[in-house]
Amino acid sequence: MKKRALLSVSDKNGILEFAKELESLGYELLSTGGTMKHLADNGVAVTAVDAVTGFPEIMEGRVKTLNPMIHGGLLAKQDNPSHILQMEEHGIQPIDVVCVNLYPFKETISKPDVTNDDAIENIDIGGPAMLRASAKNHAYVTVIVDATDYDQVLTEIKADGKTTLETRRRLAAKVFRHTAAYDALIAGFLTDLTGEEFPEQVTYTYELKQPLRYGENPHQKAAFYSRPLGSDFSIAYAKQLHGKELSYNNIQDANAAIQIIKEFDKAAAVAVKHMNPCGVGTGKTIFEAFNKAYEADSTSIFGGIIALNREVDAATAEKLSGIFLEIIIAPAFTEEAVEILTKKKNIRLMTISFDQNKKDKWNTVSVEGGLLMQEPDAYGFADADIRVATDRQPTEAEWEAMKLGWAVVKHVKSNAIVVTDDNMTLGVGAGQMNRVGAANIALTQAGERAKGAALASDAFFPMDDTVEAAAKAGITAIIQPGGSVKDEDSIKKANEYGITMVFTGVRHFKH
């Protein structure tokens, strides 16, 4: 009995050459729709599936392969006497090779003008059914979902008349990954339509972007995956123009820098080390903004990651090139800037889209045995219930300084304190076990620059000791959430020193 192969693909890349090779090896080829026409038009002998099923395609092609004549051939145990007897009784022939890929659901829903009807019509039913049946029965069936596997399959068939069990099992695993990812996208799309926030089950799918040399440390294996249809304003969708491959820690730091730069509309520059900002500057130009970020902490910026929200020009590139940096991220680089910066062999130059219209709905964090989900902390100054809690009102410069501090402090590991003037950070206290400890770090770093500056806190003051420390350093304005049972103590202390203090009503813990 002739061996049979069923070919039905939406991605025609390589299918003609694959079909011709199978034909030359004596396979009878079965096919449907566009694939059948493509093969026949190019001189390949092909049998229509409806000739095998004895039943025409119906319902605009929704039903064509869902038939025992097909699925019996896919699922039969070819060395089981009972199965062989039933196949003979019903005139079913085994199918040995299946090459199927699915309706382009992801590509369809990625279109900005996609309708629900279009999305639904691009949910493949027969394809996944054939793939899953073939993958389940991989002891007997070679199933291919990826054109990159054509050559190995042909090589093995030419050598031994069939593929190895090892190859069939590897291909079956790929199929189930593929159909699981496909179903995850469909489930996510339909769940979003219903508006259900926390369904009883949630399934995400990710695509391999690149293997990494190692993880946080050299003894840890790692890889980088991107989320299909995720936010373009992310490191996962950045384009690398120059430099060596990103590391695990580079990616973490770059993500942190991108999240901070999203806070600013005016020209801004962010320097990050170990996922905390070490310097943030704003200005009328990107050159001015970067100079401020550099001046904020010219020591810690060494080996840092820089994000800028304007095109990098030659003057800014010259300044950047004088510092050892790991990554520079920007919406674009001028030709002159690229020429200047690419003289440094290892520095990574990355561009990303600064379009914030497409955002990820949820942040996810893995914990051992589980997953945490939450909305991104997109709460901004304009959303806050701002209240001046003290006697003195802020000056215009103090308002600007507090706005900058509050934008930055939510991206600093808690407990967090940030000291700022109206266009740059002056001191950052991150990840301390008590708030006054974080304040002391930030104030010490700011030094004399703390005089007349603002202090931002990610959470309320449980005692008045932070206000006391701020006052002694020369701070004149404080912004914090408020809400402590001892708020009045902090207000009293601020009034005592003539400090203006603003309550936002919202905390920004970052663990």
Side-chain angles (χ1 to χ4, degrees), residues 285-302:
T285 66
I286 199 63
F287 179 77
E288 183 182 341
F290 177 70
N291 277 331
K292 293 295 183 183
Y294 176 74
E295 291 168 15
D297 188 345
S298 59
T299 300
S300 297
I301 200 172
F302 182 85

Side-chain angles (χ1 to χ4, degrees), residues 24-237:
S24 71
L25 292 167
Y27 277 75
E28 178 187 1
L29 305 181
L30 314 180
S31 193
T32 63
T35 306
M36 182 175 68
K37 184 178 187 306
H38 177 63
L39 298 179
D41 287 350
N42 285 277
V44 178
V46 61
T47 301
V49 162
D50 58 14
V52 175
T53 63
F55 202 93
E57 293 184 15
I58 61 172
M59 301 175 184
E60 301 173 310
R62 281 188 168 202
V63 179
K64 50 194 172 192
T65 58
L66 298 169
N67 187 285
M69 302 300 288
I70 298 298
H71 283 270
L74 298 176
L75 285 165
K77 295 180 179 179
Q78 295 180 21
D79 56 2
N80 183 301
S82 173
H83 285 206
I84 293 170
L85 185 62
Q86 290 175 63
M87 290 172 72
E88 290 174 350
E89 180 182 352
H90 296 288
I92 297 172
Q93 293 185 39
I95 298 173
D96 306 279
V97 174
V98 172
C99 181
V100 170
N101 48 57
L102 308 176
Y103 294 170
F105 182 80
K106 182 178 79 171
E107 293 75 11
T108 299
I109 63 172
S110 68
K111 298 173 183 175
D113 58 348
V114 65
T115 65
N116 291 342
D117 285 346
D118 284 342
I120 298 301
E121 284 308 310
N122 277 278
I123 296 176
D124 202 330
I125 300 301
M130 287 190 291
L131 286 174
R132 288 171 58 83
S134 305
K136 174 178 178 175
N137 205 32
H138 67 269
Y140 310 94
V141 180
T142 302
V143 56
I144 309 162
V145 76
D146 184 347
T148 62
D149 292 311
Y150 290 163
D151 286 345
Q152 183 176 354
V153 168
L154 289 171
T155 298
E156 292 186 10
I157 292 175
K158 288 176 182 177
D160 299 313
K162 62 180 181 179
T163 56
T164 65
L165 177 59
E166 181 184 10
T167 292
R168 293 196 298 276
R169 183 170 290 136
R170 179 181 66 81
L171 294 175
K174 181 180 279 193
V175 162
F176 281 113
R177 293 194 300 269
H178 183 73
T179 57
Y182 193 78
D183 284 343
L185 288 174
I186 295 168
F189 177 81
L190 293 176
T191 300
D192 286 346
L193 286 184
T194 67
E196 197 165 0
E197 292 187 338
F198 299 111
E200 75 289 344
Q201 291 179 315
V202 62
T203 305
Y204 290 118
T205 183
Y206 295 87
E207 298 170 351
L208 181 64
K209 186 175 177 71
Q210 66 187 87
L212 301 175
R213 286 172 295 159
Y214 53 83
E216 281 184 290
N217 299 289
H219 60 274
Q220 294 171 271
K221 295 179 182 179
F224 185 23
Y225 286 78
S226 62
R227 187 167 170 179
L229 309 179
S231 169
D232 292 335
F233 198 169
S234 68
I235 188 62
Y237 286 88

Side-chain angles (χ1 to χ4, degrees), residues 260 270-273 275-280 408 411-413 418 425 428:
I260 301 169
V270 173
V272 164
K273 286 287 288 291
M275 296 179 66
N276 279 305
C278 58
V280 177
V408 174
H411 297 281
V412 179
K413 292 284 186 177
V418 174
T425 55
V428 178

